[in-house]
Amino acid sequence: MTAPFKFSKTPFYFVFFFSSGKESLKDLEKLEIEATNLQSANEDQQRHIEILEQALNNAQSKVLKLEEELSKKQKYVERVERLQQALAQLQIACEKREQLEQRLRTHLERELESLRTQQRAGVGVPLSVCESSAPALLDLLTEREERILGLEADMT
């Protein structure tokens, strides 16, 4: 009697453990699949992070190059501005010199005309005296003009 009782109870336990083992195996397989999927997603995210970091590094490198170029260009702009100011000062000094030369020319032409008129009239200083003093006066006038121009250039 005890033996048939064992037979009838054994398959019940066996079926219980077997069915619960199947469910555990299915759960384990699901967990393994989920773990594999999570690992794959993690690897994808790591690759994406690396790509983004590389893009960030490239962008930062470009920014540094652009900042260097901007700095160089700003220096060129400053130099051009200084050169333009110097050119403007030179143009002003040149215009003043031209005006001074024009006044001197006009003055010398009047003086020459006056001397010619006096010579024709037979009045005044002989021509040889005028010729010898004219270059000396012209040299003196040129020296003083240069001094005036130098002082005007120092003022600007």
Side-chain angles (χ1 to χ4, degrees):
M1 257 184 152
T2 54
F5 181 73
K6 262 186 163 183
F7 275 106
S8 66
K9 295 259 182 173
T10 304
F12 174 72
Y13 287 115
F14 181 71
V15 171
F16 175 73
F17 287 121
F18 184 71
S19 68
S20 114
K22 277 186 178 180
E23 289 175 17
S24 294
L25 285 176
K26 285 182 184 178
D27 289 342
L28 182 61
E29 287 176 5
K30 286 180 185 178
L31 289 173
E32 287 176 350
I33 291 171
E34 188 176 338
T36 304
N37 289 340
L38 289 173
Q39 282 179 334
S40 176
N42 186 26
E43 290 171 0
D44 289 345
Q45 289 177 349
Q46 289 296 327
R47 282 192 297 273
H48 188 66
I49 287 170
E50 289 172 3
I51 290 169
L52 291 177
E53 285 177 345
Q54 184 63 37
L56 176 63
N57 289 336
N58 290 342
Q60 288 173 335
S61 176
K62 286 180 183 178
V63 166
L64 287 176
K65 287 179 185 176
L66 290 172
E67 285 175 346
E68 289 173 1
E69 287 180 26
L70 177 63
S71 175
K72 286 180 183 178
K73 288 179 181 181
Q74 286 174 336
K75 288 178 185 177
Y76 288 138
V77 167
E78 291 170 2
R79 184 171 181 207
V80 166
E81 288 173 353
R82 287 192 308 269
L83 289 173
Q84 286 176 335
Q85 290 173 352
L87 177 63
Q89 290 174 352
L90 285 173
Q91 287 174 332
I92 291 170
C94 192
E95 288 173 6
K96 287 181 180 179
R97 182 175 180 101
E98 287 176 359
Q99 290 172 356
L100 185 60
E101 287 175 356
Q102 185 61 35
R103 285 194 309 255
L104 175 63
R105 181 183 179 108
T106 304
H107 174 71
L108 289 175
E109 285 175 352
R110 286 182 192 153
E111 187 177 325
L112 180 62
E113 187 61 36
S114 171
L115 289 173
R116 284 183 181 159
T117 305
Q118 287 176 3
Q119 190 177 20
R120 283 186 207 130
V123 180
V125 185
L127 186 59
S128 61
V129 175
C130 290
E131 288 175 357
S132 65
S133 65
L137 288 174
L138 187 58
D139 289 341
L140 180 64
L141 187 57
T142 303
E143 287 175 18
R144 296 222 172 135
E145 285 177 1
E146 289 174 358
R147 186 167 182 221
I148 289 170
L149 288 174
L151 291 173
E152 287 178 347
D154 289 342
M155 289 175 46
T156 58

